[in-house]
Amino acid sequence: MNPKKIRTRFAPSPTGFMHVGNLRTALYSYLLAKKAGGVFILRIEDTDQARYVEGAIDKICQILKETGLHYDEGPDIGGDYGPYIQSQRKELYLEYAQKLIETGNAYYCFCDKERLAKIREQCRIAKIDPKYDGHCRNLSPEEIQKKLEDKKPFVIRQKMPTTGITIFDDQVFGTIQVDFSQLDDQVLIKADGLPTYNFANVIDDHLMEITHIIRGSEFLISTPKYNQLYKAFGWEIPTLVHVPPVMKAAGQKMSKRLGDASYDDFIKKGYLKDAIINYIALLGWSPGDNREIFTLPELVNAFDINNINKAPAIFDEAKLSWLSGEYIRKLSLEEFVQMSLPYIKQAVSRVPIDIQKISQLLQPRLEKLTDIPAQINFIDSVPDYPLDLYAHQKMKSTPESALRFLKSALPVLNAIDGWSEKQIHTAVFELINHLKIKTGQLLWPLRVALSGKQSTPGGFIEIAYLLGKEETIKRINDAIRRLETETMPGV
């Protein structure tokens, strides 16, 4: 008998943004399917219409495609198991709920909001988890029929066993045992006729022949209810893979409000998408060795659900920054120019300016694209800076020595015929040898004079070439005048 083809799914709710944890679930589901030559499905679970955000489905599709997680079936591309949006399958769920009622595994519940609120308050006072008290579990057929004829609003609840235990296996957390007495009779069909997530996902996973379910460990507590539904219908339970949460720090959840929860947040911060996917893969999973940099095809080859950790994963943005820097340095210069251009234009309006040269200087030192403007904001004009910036112990530079050496450099730079990096280098180092000084004693004040910054992409020679001879001479003259005025009044 041929083994079943692996089919996984990513089933987000269209609530506005792609949380890092959701994207990791999509990634793991994609990797598991593709490694086995299986099928990866996108399904939209929009049964909670109150939280639906216009345009969210398009955004989910866009992010999956943008990050390379191409799904084989989904709402915008179709497939043999559609529709792939739950609100378009409404009648289907009601039909299956009726079957559960007929077999005694579900029941109509006519309790109104006031009664349910009272039950919740009683549970709160008793300091126990909210749980329906089963008031409608044993209504007679006649009572049920009368309430239906009177058009009394109802939901359909799952009838859970009240005694005994249930046991199930999870690929990450192992064998789990739960007492039925802890479980609530969950709502399957809401008063508006739409299914709850807890019901619809079971029906859809079966009908779409999902073989492996990857989801967050917060769903472990609900899994016995899902499994009881599978058993009530006589269906095979898929392989379960529950992954730990992603935390900002121990005990601290990531926060959309603080800008550290969604894929878009990190794109806006200037991280490369490939670096984000690479890093997310390592949140709670390891390849079994010390390797940290993977292309998506390499992740497919390396992925193994047996290497998923039980412990919560801590999102270390410093690690993401390092990884993003590694990806930036792997880009061709042409690719980097294209990516960096919008950020360069935020800081530089001078024309003409050598964008390729700026990019060459930036690429070796960047971790994220949004760092670019602050690194090159001196190109248009020198920002205000304190004169003690000329003081640098390692470079053996002081404001007084800086003034002397800037004055020495001015005629040498003025005398350069042409303005290539080689010519600037030759002239400056001949002067250093002539003055018998340390390299930093001249190059440090020259760089400060041109940039007003302690750290720049490239040194004085690269910056001088980029700015051009006229602007370089002007800035050195400006620095000399300021040093004379503020450091040595009356000179």
Side-chain angles (χ1 to χ4, degrees), residues 461-481:
I461 292 166
E462 293 87 357
I463 295 171
Y465 170 73
L466 184 65
L467 293 176
K469 182 175 181 178
E470 182 180 345
E471 182 67 16
T472 297
I473 298 300
K474 175 186 176 299
R475 292 189 184 192
I476 293 173
N477 270 318
D478 290 344
I480 289 171
R481 280 192 293 271

Side-chain angles (χ1 to χ4, degrees), residues 301-320:
N301 290 331
F303 188 71
D304 185 341
I305 55 178
N306 293 315
N307 289 339
I308 295 175
N309 214 323
K310 292 181 184 179
I314 304 300
F315 196 105
D316 181 355
E317 194 163 344
K319 181 69 173 289
L320 173 59

